[in-house]
Amino acid sequence: VHQSRQQQTEGSRSSSARYSTKQKQQAPATMSMNPFRLAGDMSHVFSIIVLLLRLRVAKNAQGISVRTHELFLVVFVTRYLDLFTTFYSLYNSVMKVLYIGSTASIIYTIRYQEPICSTYDKAQDTFLHWKFAVAPCFVVAALTYFFGNGFSDFDLLELLWTFSIYLEAIAILPQLITLQRYREVENLTGNYIFFMGAYRALYIVNWIYRSYNEPFYKHHYVVYFCGVLQTLLYADFFYYYLKSKAKGGKFSLPTAHTA
């Protein structure tokens, strides 16, 4: 469910390509669904459901990084401000509200809801996300925006959309670092992260499919770069996750000495 300010795009966390003004005038009002986009969206939704289920059933937040979800909340809020300006489709609007609401709920549960908040270990979730994720991504987004658009006709929502693309690419880092410190990964936590990574991988296939089958499609290389980077961050996790599933044993991440 992701739009740049110039086009309607996906139904999940990331966007793919933009339309020029002329192309937008010629393009259909909503983007057609394809099986890869739908599978990516459903994988993303399922990852959220799995995490909420894990918190409710286990009644603890061990191994979960609230900082990753704070980053994702920033991503969604800055990307989906067009909820107040443009209606694309009911599906699009519902997915945007779902992502914002569910992420805010996860943060509230981990930080404030007993007994779950008492099990959240701040000492293991120490990535300085405002300093090393939000601030650098905003600087890079500003440079990208002004380099590509100049200083005339400044569009704040377009700048924030670009910022959200960069930030989403690295938002999973605090979670991966937290799991590395715990080493042993609880089953539902592992499933949650796997489906998050699968959603991104499916969206890459979706972009390829759209480039061959969708009229008015225009490549957006910032989105491609960030999407591939985000998928690569999951690669090591995927390897050990699938290895543990194949062997049927506990899912543990290696230390620097055992990797």
Side-chain angles (χ1 to χ4, degrees), residues 32-82:
S32 60
M33 183 64 71
N34 68 68
F36 304 109
R37 173 187 171 183
L38 180 61
D41 288 349
M42 294 304 102
S43 180
H44 187 186
V45 171
F46 193 61
S47 72
I48 295 172
I49 294 173
V50 168
L51 179 56
L52 288 171
L53 179 65
R54 182 246 187 271
L55 291 173
R56 299 298 178 183
V57 171
K59 299 294 184 183
N60 75 73
Q62 291 181 356
I64 304 298
S65 169
V66 74
R67 299 187 180 211
T68 272
H69 295 285
E70 288 172 346
L71 291 178
F72 277 130
L73 185 60
V74 173
V75 168
F76 298 147
V77 170
T78 55
R79 183 175 300 170
Y80 298 150
L81 289 172
D82 62 353

Side-chain angles (χ1 to χ4, degrees), residues 129-148 151 154 159-160 162-167 170 222:
H129 55 329
W130 304 112
K131 182 177 181 179
F132 294 121
V134 174
C137 285
F138 188 82
V139 171
V140 174
L143 292 174
T144 301
Y145 175 84
F146 288 116
F147 180 78
F151 291 89
F154 174 69
L159 172 59
L160 293 176
T162 304
F163 162 70
S164 76
I165 297 299
Y166 282 114
L167 184 60
I170 60 171
V222 169

Side-chain angles (χ1 to χ4, degrees), residues 10-232:
E10 317 299 344
S12 69
R13 276 185 185 164
S14 75
S15 167
S16 69
R18 306 185 188 196
Y19 289 117
S20 66
T21 302
K22 182 178 180 181
Q23 286 172 321
K24 183 179 177 182
Q25 292 170 349
Q26 297 171 344
T30 58
M31 305 307 298
S32 60
M33 183 64 71
N34 68 68
F36 304 109
R37 173 187 171 183
L38 180 61
D41 288 349
M42 294 304 102
S43 180
H44 187 186
V45 171
F46 193 61
S47 72
I48 295 172
I49 294 173
V50 168
L51 179 56
L52 288 171
L53 179 65
R54 182 246 187 271
L55 291 173
R56 299 298 178 183
V57 171
K59 299 294 184 183
N60 75 73
Q62 291 181 356
I64 304 298
S65 169
V66 74
R67 299 187 180 211
T68 272
H69 295 285
E70 288 172 346
L71 291 178
F72 277 130
L73 185 60
V74 173
V75 168
F76 298 147
V77 170
T78 55
R79 183 175 300 170
Y80 298 150
L81 289 172
D82 62 353
L83 276 168
F84 300 102
T85 63
T86 309
F87 176 80
Y88 296 103
S89 69
L90 180 62
Y91 173 85
N92 188 279
S93 297
V94 168
M95 295 295 277
K96 290 176 178 179
V97 173
L98 171 65
Y99 294 143
I100 294 172
S102 60
T103 304
S105 175
I106 290 167
I107 294 170
Y108 176 82
T109 298
I110 295 175
R111 286 207 177 274
Y112 303 111
Q113 187 171 323
E114 292 288 0
I116 297 172
C117 65
S118 297
T119 66
Y120 168 61
D121 190 353
K122 296 179 181 179
Q124 302 298 327
D125 188 19
T126 58
F127 183 82
L128 301 178
H129 55 329
W130 304 112
K131 182 177 181 179
F132 294 121
V134 174
C137 285
F138 188 82
V139 171
V140 174
L143 292 174
T144 301
Y145 175 84
F146 288 116
F147 180 78
N149 299 281
F151 291 89
S152 61
D153 298 323
F154 174 69
D155 189 333
L156 177 61
L157 295 189
E158 183 72 12
L159 172 59
L160 293 176
W161 178 88
T162 304
F163 162 70
S164 76
I165 297 299
Y166 282 114
L167 184 60
E168 184 187 16
I170 60 171
I172 197 64
L173 272 178
Q175 179 63 74
L176 295 177
I177 293 171
T178 299
L179 288 183
Q180 190 67 47
R181 291 171 175 171
Y182 274 95
R183 289 199 60 211
E184 188 168 305
V185 181
E186 192 271 339
N187 184 52
L188 287 176
T189 303
N191 292 338
Y192 146 68
I193 298 173
F194 174 80
F195 283 110
M196 278 292 296
Y199 126 78
R200 169 52 60 212
L202 286 164
Y203 255 75
I204 293 177
V205 181
N206 164 61
W207 298 336
I208 296 171
Y209 177 89
R210 288 181 61 190
S211 68
Y212 283 101
N213 294 279
E214 189 173 288
F216 310 110
Y217 185 87
K218 185 178 180 182
H219 296 285
H220 193 303
Y221 295 102
V222 169
V223 174
Y224 294 166
F225 169 77
C226 291
V228 171
L229 173 61
Q230 188 177 354
T231 303
L232 289 176

